[in-house]
Short mmCIF file of all heavy atoms in Angstrom, two decimals:
data_model
loop_
_atom_site.label_atom_id
_atom_site.label_comp_id
_atom_site.label_asym_id
_atom_site.label_seq_id
_atom_site.Cartn_x
_atom_site.Cartn_y
_atom_site.Cartn_z
N VAL A 301 115.85 74.72 -28.33
CA VAL A 301 117.02 73.90 -28.64
C VAL A 301 116.57 72.46 -28.84
O VAL A 301 116.02 71.84 -27.92
CB VAL A 301 118.07 73.99 -27.50
CG1 VAL A 301 119.25 73.06 -27.79
CG2 VAL A 301 118.54 75.43 -27.33
N GLU A 302 116.81 71.92 -30.03
CA GLU A 302 116.32 70.60 -30.36
C GLU A 302 116.85 69.53 -29.42
O GLU A 302 116.14 68.58 -29.07
CB GLU A 302 116.70 70.25 -31.80
CG GLU A 302 116.19 68.91 -32.29
CD GLU A 302 114.67 68.82 -32.31
OE1 GLU A 302 114.01 69.85 -32.56
OE2 GLU A 302 114.14 67.71 -32.06
N GLU A 303 118.10 69.68 -28.98
CA GLU A 303 118.69 68.69 -28.08
C GLU A 303 117.99 68.65 -26.72
O GLU A 303 118.18 67.72 -25.94
CB GLU A 303 120.18 68.97 -27.87
CG GLU A 303 121.05 68.64 -29.07
CD GLU A 303 120.93 69.69 -30.18
OE1 GLU A 303 120.35 70.78 -29.92
OE2 GLU A 303 121.41 69.43 -31.30
N LEU A 304 117.19 69.68 -26.42
CA LEU A 304 116.49 69.74 -25.13
C LEU A 304 115.02 69.37 -25.26
O LEU A 304 114.22 69.64 -24.35
CB LEU A 304 116.64 71.14 -24.52
CG LEU A 304 118.05 71.55 -24.13
CD1 LEU A 304 118.07 72.95 -23.54
CD2 LEU A 304 118.67 70.55 -23.14
N ARG A 305 114.65 68.74 -26.36
CA ARG A 305 113.28 68.26 -26.48
C ARG A 305 113.07 67.12 -25.48
O ARG A 305 113.76 66.11 -25.51
CB ARG A 305 113.01 67.76 -27.90
CG ARG A 305 111.55 67.30 -28.13
CD ARG A 305 111.37 66.80 -29.55
NE ARG A 305 111.65 67.83 -30.53
CZ ARG A 305 110.79 68.77 -30.90
NH1 ARG A 305 109.58 68.80 -30.35
NH2 ARG A 305 111.13 69.68 -31.80
N GLY A 306 112.14 67.32 -24.57
CA GLY A 306 111.90 66.32 -23.53
C GLY A 306 112.86 66.42 -22.36
O GLY A 306 112.93 65.50 -21.53
N ALA A 307 113.61 67.53 -22.27
CA ALA A 307 114.57 67.70 -21.17
C ALA A 307 113.91 68.37 -19.97
O ALA A 307 113.09 69.28 -20.12
CB ALA A 307 115.76 68.54 -21.63
N PHE A 308 114.31 67.93 -18.80
CA PHE A 308 113.83 68.52 -17.55
C PHE A 308 114.99 68.69 -16.58
O PHE A 308 116.02 68.03 -16.70
CB PHE A 308 112.74 67.64 -16.93
CG PHE A 308 111.52 67.51 -17.79
CD1 PHE A 308 111.38 66.44 -18.64
CD2 PHE A 308 110.54 68.49 -17.77
CE1 PHE A 308 110.27 66.33 -19.46
CE2 PHE A 308 109.43 68.40 -18.59
CZ PHE A 308 109.29 67.32 -19.43
N LYS A 309 114.80 69.59 -15.65
CA LYS A 309 115.83 69.82 -14.64
C LYS A 309 116.06 68.56 -13.82
O LYS A 309 115.10 67.87 -13.42
CB LYS A 309 115.40 70.97 -13.72
CG LYS A 309 116.39 71.26 -12.60
CD LYS A 309 115.85 72.34 -11.68
CE LYS A 309 116.70 72.46 -10.43
NZ LYS A 309 116.19 73.47 -9.49
N VAL A 310 117.31 68.24 -13.57
CA VAL A 310 117.65 67.11 -12.71
C VAL A 310 117.29 67.48 -11.28
O VAL A 310 117.87 68.40 -10.69
CB VAL A 310 119.15 66.78 -12.80
CG1 VAL A 310 119.52 65.66 -11.83
CG2 VAL A 310 119.53 66.40 -14.23
N PRO A 311 116.31 66.80 -10.67
CA PRO A 311 115.89 67.19 -9.32
C PRO A 311 116.88 66.71 -8.27
O PRO A 311 117.59 65.72 -8.46
CB PRO A 311 114.54 66.48 -9.16
CG PRO A 311 114.67 65.27 -10.01
CD PRO A 311 115.52 65.68 -11.19
N THR A 312 116.92 67.40 -7.16
CA THR A 312 117.71 66.92 -6.03
C THR A 312 117.08 65.65 -5.48
O THR A 312 115.87 65.46 -5.54
CB THR A 312 117.79 67.98 -4.92
OG1 THR A 312 118.54 67.44 -3.83
CG2 THR A 312 116.42 68.38 -4.42
N LEU A 313 117.93 64.78 -4.94
CA LEU A 313 117.44 63.57 -4.28
C LEU A 313 117.35 63.75 -2.77
O LEU A 313 116.97 62.81 -2.06
CB LEU A 313 118.34 62.39 -4.61
CG LEU A 313 118.44 62.04 -6.11
CD1 LEU A 313 119.32 60.82 -6.31
CD2 LEU A 313 117.07 61.82 -6.73
N ARG A 314 117.68 64.93 -2.28
CA ARG A 314 117.52 65.21 -0.86
C ARG A 314 116.05 65.08 -0.47
O ARG A 314 115.17 65.62 -1.13
CB ARG A 314 118.03 66.61 -0.54
CG ARG A 314 119.53 66.79 -0.72
CD ARG A 314 120.27 66.19 0.45
NE ARG A 314 121.72 66.34 0.34
CZ ARG A 314 122.56 66.05 1.32
NH1 ARG A 314 122.09 65.62 2.48
NH2 ARG A 314 123.85 66.19 1.15
N ASN A 315 115.79 64.34 0.60
CA ASN A 315 114.43 64.09 1.10
C ASN A 315 113.55 63.39 0.07
O ASN A 315 112.32 63.48 0.11
CB ASN A 315 113.77 65.40 1.57
CG ASN A 315 114.44 65.95 2.81
OD1 ASN A 315 114.76 65.21 3.73
ND2 ASN A 315 114.69 67.24 2.82
N ILE A 316 114.18 62.64 -0.84
CA ILE A 316 113.43 61.99 -1.91
C ILE A 316 112.45 60.95 -1.38
O ILE A 316 111.42 60.66 -2.00
CB ILE A 316 114.42 61.35 -2.92
CG1 ILE A 316 113.72 60.98 -4.22
CG2 ILE A 316 115.14 60.16 -2.30
CD1 ILE A 316 113.27 62.16 -5.03
N ALA A 317 112.73 60.38 -0.22
CA ALA A 317 111.87 59.33 0.32
C ALA A 317 110.48 59.84 0.69
O ALA A 317 109.54 59.05 0.82
CB ALA A 317 112.52 58.69 1.54
N ILE A 318 110.33 61.16 0.88
CA ILE A 318 109.02 61.70 1.30
C ILE A 318 108.40 62.58 0.22
O ILE A 318 107.42 63.29 0.50
CB ILE A 318 109.14 62.48 2.62
CG1 ILE A 318 110.08 63.68 2.46
CG2 ILE A 318 109.60 61.58 3.74
CD1 ILE A 318 110.06 64.61 3.66
N THR A 319 108.93 62.56 -1.00
CA THR A 319 108.40 63.45 -2.04
C THR A 319 107.74 62.70 -3.19
O THR A 319 107.61 63.23 -4.29
CB THR A 319 109.50 64.37 -2.59
OG1 THR A 319 110.55 63.57 -3.14
CG2 THR A 319 110.06 65.26 -1.50
N ALA A 320 107.31 61.47 -2.95
CA ALA A 320 106.60 60.73 -3.99
C ALA A 320 105.28 61.45 -4.32
O ALA A 320 104.71 62.14 -3.47
CB ALA A 320 106.30 59.31 -3.51
N PRO A 321 104.77 61.27 -5.54
CA PRO A 321 105.29 60.50 -6.67
C PRO A 321 106.40 61.24 -7.42
O PRO A 321 106.64 62.42 -7.15
CB PRO A 321 104.07 60.28 -7.55
CG PRO A 321 103.18 61.43 -7.24
CD PRO A 321 103.42 61.79 -5.80
N TYR A 322 107.04 60.56 -8.37
CA TYR A 322 108.29 61.02 -8.93
C TYR A 322 108.21 61.32 -10.43
O TYR A 322 107.30 60.92 -11.11
CB TYR A 322 109.38 59.97 -8.66
CG TYR A 322 109.53 59.67 -7.20
CD1 TYR A 322 109.07 58.47 -6.67
CD2 TYR A 322 110.07 60.60 -6.31
CE1 TYR A 322 109.19 58.19 -5.31
CE2 TYR A 322 110.19 60.33 -4.96
CZ TYR A 322 109.75 59.12 -4.46
OH TYR A 322 109.85 58.86 -3.11
#
Side-chain angles (χ1 to χ4, degrees):
V301 176
E302 182 62 33
E303 288 76 12
L304 295 180
R305 183 181 299 278
F308 297 95
K309 178 184 170 182
V310 176
T312 178
L313 300 182
R314 294 282 180 171
N315 292 317
I316 195 68
I318 61 171
T319 59
Y322 304 107

